[in-house]
Amino acid sequence: MRLPVTGVLLAAGAGRRMGMPKALVRAADDTPWVELGTRALLDGGCSEVVVVLGAAAGTVRDSVPDHVGVRTVVAPDWATGPGASLAAGLRALDGETVACVSLVDLPTLPVAVVRRVLARADGPDVLCRAVFGGRPGHPVLVGPAHRAALVEAVTSDPTDRVAGAWLRRAGVVGVDCADLWDGVDRDRPDRSDPSRVE
């Protein structure tokens, strides 16, 4: 049974290692990372995208694409950890929709990776994630049958490792995407990279 898929783009963090919120970084062509992440999810097959904001929310909101299928939510407790942002995004979803979770610090996420992962969105029990050379990455698909349990887990402890541990315990299935991309997120400034802050 095919279900609608909503992208959840986590863009709330302060980006301490980057030196600023990563949602404010722009690519060499001046496109905000938050726009690149949103468009990858839409072009990959998500029917809508929820962008989760936190640090510098007012400024970041101006960079979110003005698209009928895109909306924003603010995670008021975003500073407690990434789990708080994930919980806010999942709570924003309606009914029988599958969440396709991605991160703003994946500005080069190929549409082909999103499409390959979304091809697994075949029912309410779906739970899978992109894998790159055996290393788990994003996007992550969370069917409606799993959303409440995942929200409970990351709400009880919103630190960085909880969601991954919960996914492993719940039996997440890997979707090999190593032939499409390296899956590496961008946590620190790269002097050789022309990406810049707004």
Side-chain angles (χ1 to χ4, degrees), residues 29-116:
D29 66 358
D30 207 40
T31 306
W33 280 10
V34 69
E35 179 177 343
L36 292 171
T38 300
R39 295 200 179 281
L41 291 171
L42 288 173
D43 293 346
C46 294
S47 57
E48 63 173 348
V49 174
V50 174
V51 182
V52 184
L53 307 179
T59 305
V60 175
R61 190 178 281 112
D62 292 337
S63 296
V64 175
D66 183 13
H67 185 284
V68 67
V70 178
R71 57 193 169 102
T72 61
V73 297
V74 176
D77 53 349
W78 64 267
T80 62
S85 301
L86 176 58
L90 294 178
R91 286 190 187 112
L93 304 188
D94 299 320
E96 294 297 300
T97 187
V98 174
C100 179
V101 182
S102 189
L103 309 176
V104 74
D105 58 4
L106 302 174
T108 59
L109 172 66
V111 170
V113 170
V114 180
R115 288 179 178 154
R116 182 174 291 178

Side-chain angles (χ1 to χ4, degrees), residues 2 9-10 31 34-35 40 62 65-66 71 83 87-88 100 119 138 156 160 163 166 183 186 194:
R2 295 289 298 180
L9 183 67
L10 304 183
T31 306
V34 69
E35 179 177 343
D62 292 337
D66 183 13
R71 57 193 169 102
C100 179
H138 288 79
S156 64
D160 199 17
W166 183 91
R186 305 273 294 280

